[in-house]
Each structure stands twice: as C-alpha cells, then as structure tokens.
Amino acid sequence: MSCPPTFHHGAAQGCAGDKLTPLRNIKSERSVDMNPVVVVHGGGASNISKDRKERVRQGIVRAATVGYNILKEGGSAVDAVEGAVTVLEDDPEFNAGCGSVLNVNGEVEMDASIMNGKDLSSGAVSAVRCIANPIKLARLVMEKTPHCFLTDQGAAKFAADMGIPEVPEKQLITERNIKHLEKEKNEKSAQKTDQEKNLGTVGAVALDSEGNVAYATSTGGIVNKMAGRVGDTPCIGSGGYADNDIGAISTTGHGESILKVNLARLTLFHLEQGKTLEEAADSSLGYMKSKLKGLGGVILINTAGDWAVKWTSASMPWAAAKDGKLHSGIDLDETSIADLP
C-alpha cells in the first residue's frame, strides 16, 4: 500500500530521516520578524469530478492569496485564517457557508471554530443556520464572550445581538447539494461507508510576522446527517488547534473518527515530541485509519514557518503561500508552484 500523500516546505526539512530542530530551540532562536505563511484546505474528498476541479483549484488559490495578503499588510494570523476561510464559505464549490451539504431534513446546519495561538483563546459555533459566515461568528464568540462555544438557538441570538444579518436558507443551498442529498438517500445501503465519503470541510492555518499562529475550520457537516449532529469541526483539539509554542493545524475528514482521536492535538503532540511535520501528520492520520478506518487530512505549520499538508482520503484541495510563492494541489503527486501577484 502506498504511503499517504505529503507535501512540505521549509529549510528545516530535508531528506528522509532528517529531524526538525526541537521546537523549543526553534522558538528561542527565531527572530521576532517572521516571514508570514498561510496554508488552506478545501476538505478531504473521495473524488472531485473533472468539471469541478478547476473551480475548486481557483477557489483554494483565491483563499490562500487573500490570507497571505492580509498577513503581508500587517494583519494578524487570526485575521488571515478568518479571511481565508470566509472566501471558502462564500464559494459554493466547498462544503461550508454557501455550499454546505444538507441534513436529513434538507436543511443547512453549520459548524466552525477559530483559535489564537498567542493566548489559546478560542471560539466555536455549531448547528448554526441562516448566516453566511459561521467563522466570523466563531471569532466573535472568542473575542466578545467569556465562553468558547455557542450552539443552535444561543448562537443565533448572539449573532443577532452582534448585528450579523440573517440570510434566507435557500441562499446557502446549491442545486448540486439538493441532488447530493437525494442520491445519498437513494444509496443509503450502498457500499461506501461514512468514513469513505462526506469528508468536506474548509480550513486555514497561518503564522504572522510577529510569530503568532492561528487556525480556523468551517463546515456544513455530513450530507443526510441527523438534525443536530455535530462533528469535529467546532471542537477545539479535534477540528484544529493553535499554540505559539508548537504550531497550528486544521483537520478534515470523517468527523466522528477525528473526534475519537483528537486528531489536531494528537498531531501537535507528536510535533512536541520532536517529530517532523510529516512524521507527526503521518503518525496521527495512520493511527486514526488503523484504529477506526477513518480517513482525513491535515494542514499544519510550526513556529519556524515550515508547513506540511497530508491526507489519507482520495484527494484534498490545498494551497500554501510563503515568500511570494504559491504552492497548490488536489491529488497525489500533483503540486504546482507559482509567483504570487
């Protein structure tokens, strides 16, 4: 069996067997003025049709570019991940915001979370409806309440109190997802398990010029899910994690499997133990697959600005921007590098 795909970038990484300098040393030796980095993903996928691939590629590149420009203009890592994820929530090609998959009742229920690695402040929302950008609401939970997590009616009231406008649910529903739900209901007894499909999420990680890291993750969940079902995305430590002493990560994949292994924090734990970015991602994704047959993917950065993307699903759209270069890909062994405008 071939190894899961992996891509990485950074001077601290090299041939197989090379080790990253222990993170505590990287942190103490780095300069205050870091080169900003942003990495985004558009969710693990069992397959992406040929007619959608170019639209998905353009969307993921656009999100990374927006996030990187925020950093280059002096914005924070939190600003960058929120900005990048907002782009993907607004793009109907992705399972978040407009374009979210539908639950068993044909409704949109969305989850999102965000975290600032500087002080571990976090915000999350689940089962939210009729707002365009759940990630913006998650940030408001982080910054405007004493809590980390609001759900359903409480989250809706808070959104209204914060002046976030309601949008008609039909504005969030695409024709493709109506057909997707119908197909899922007709094929409920089909061969594929939940672990092999429904892997769509969007996310971003960033390192800003001051050395702060952050993550953001957002999703519409699993198609044909029970009303009220919540997956890993809004759960800090599963859907993502950020700590200035270690790095930042956003995950995607089978939510129930990710929750059971705390995929985000598990991966960063491996980093803390001195593993490289690829080794850490490989260990945690491999553990989830072997224990639960759960498929997924991760994007992560460390405190030195090195980054990696890795997945065990069939594909995962991703893009990374650093040092004026944009790296991107969707499938295994397919990566392109271009100059950022």
Side-chain angles (χ1 to χ4, degrees):
M1 182 177 291
S2 61
C3 293
T6 178
F7 301 93
H8 59 80
H9 178 80
Q13 301 179 42
C15 301
D18 287 359
K19 299 288 185 182
L20 283 173
T21 308
L23 289 172
R24 58 184 179 275
N25 293 339
I26 289 176
K27 188 167 187 288
S28 62
E29 292 167 5
R30 72 184 182 188
S31 63
V32 175
D33 193 17
M34 302 291 293
N35 287 330
V37 187
V38 65
V39 189
V40 300
H41 72 77
S46 51
N47 60 69
I48 299 175
S49 61
K50 287 182 180 179
D51 64 314
R52 286 188 58 224
K53 263 193 179 173
E54 189 52 37
R55 297 195 299 272
V56 167
R57 189 187 311 278
Q58 290 173 3
I60 210 77
V61 164
R62 188 164 57 248
T65 303
V66 166
Y68 187 69
N69 287 339
I70 289 171
L71 293 174
K72 293 297 284 184
E73 291 164 9
S76 69
V78 170
D79 294 333
V81 295
E82 179 193 25
V85 166
T86 296
V87 170
L88 296 172
E89 287 178 335
D90 290 342
D91 190 327
E93 292 299 328
F94 299 94
N95 178 17
C98 167
S100 291
V101 297
L102 307 180
N103 69 13
V104 66
N105 299 324
E107 302 161 334
V108 168
E109 292 183 310
M110 301 169 289
D111 308 326
S113 63
I114 192 168
M115 187 172 190
N116 187 343
K118 185 176 183 179
D119 57 4
L120 305 189
S121 59
S122 310
V125 293
S126 68
V128 297
R129 305 163 180 254
C130 300
I131 64 170
N133 299 112
I135 198 63
K136 293 184 177 182
L137 184 59
R139 182 171 182 177
L140 288 170
V141 171
M142 176 173 74
E143 297 182 345
K144 303 295 185 183
T145 82
H147 307 310
C148 290
F149 199 151
L150 293 179
T151 191
D152 198 10
Q153 295 178 11
K157 182 182 184 304
F158 176 65
D161 292 345
M162 289 290 103
I164 292 181
E166 276 198 20
V167 299
E169 184 176 44
K170 62 183 180 182
Q171 189 174 311
L172 303 174
I173 297 175
T174 65
E175 188 64 34
R176 183 166 61 87
N177 280 324
I178 292 173
K179 292 178 179 176
H180 194 180
L181 177 62
E182 290 172 357
K183 183 180 179 185
E184 179 67 16
K185 287 188 172 185
N186 291 335
E187 297 178 356
K188 193 58 186 166
S189 59
Q191 312 81 353
K192 285 197 172 183
T193 65
D194 280 343
Q195 287 95 326
E196 294 174 312
K197 58 188 174 182
N198 303 320
L199 304 177
T201 314
V202 303
V205 294
L207 170 75
D208 63 30
S209 60
E210 295 184 0
N212 298 312
V213 296
Y215 95 85
T217 310
S218 181
T219 191
I222 287 181
V223 64
N224 202 33
K225 65 186 178 181
M226 292 173 64
R229 178 265 184 187
V230 176
D232 66 288
T233 293
C235 298
I236 310 300
S238 292
Y241 204 82
D243 183 337
N244 277 10
D245 290 337
I246 316 165
I249 179 171
S250 172
T251 69
T252 180
H254 183 242
E256 282 71 14
S257 297
I258 292 172
L259 277 167
K260 289 170 185 175
V261 302
N262 287 334
L263 183 64
R265 195 61 185 84
L266 177 62
T267 307
L268 292 190
F269 169 76
H270 288 310
L271 266 187
E272 286 181 288
Q273 299 304 303
K275 289 188 172 170
T276 66
L277 292 165
E278 303 81 13
E279 289 168 346
D282 195 34
S283 293
S284 59
L285 286 169
Y287 177 74
M288 185 172 80
K289 189 174 182 181
S290 65
K291 291 286 281 190
L292 302 165
K293 297 188 169 117
L295 303 178
V298 298
I299 55 172
L300 66 159
I301 55 174
N302 65 14
T303 53
D306 306 319
W307 57 268
V309 302
K310 194 155 196 171
W311 64 93
T312 51
S313 51
S315 60
M316 184 180 79
W318 64 273
K322 180 182 180 181
D323 296 332
K325 298 288 186 183
L326 181 76
H327 308 247
S328 64
I330 294 179
D331 297 318
L332 173 61
D333 296 331
E334 177 226 348
T335 182
S336 62
I337 304 174
D339 291 327
L340 280 158

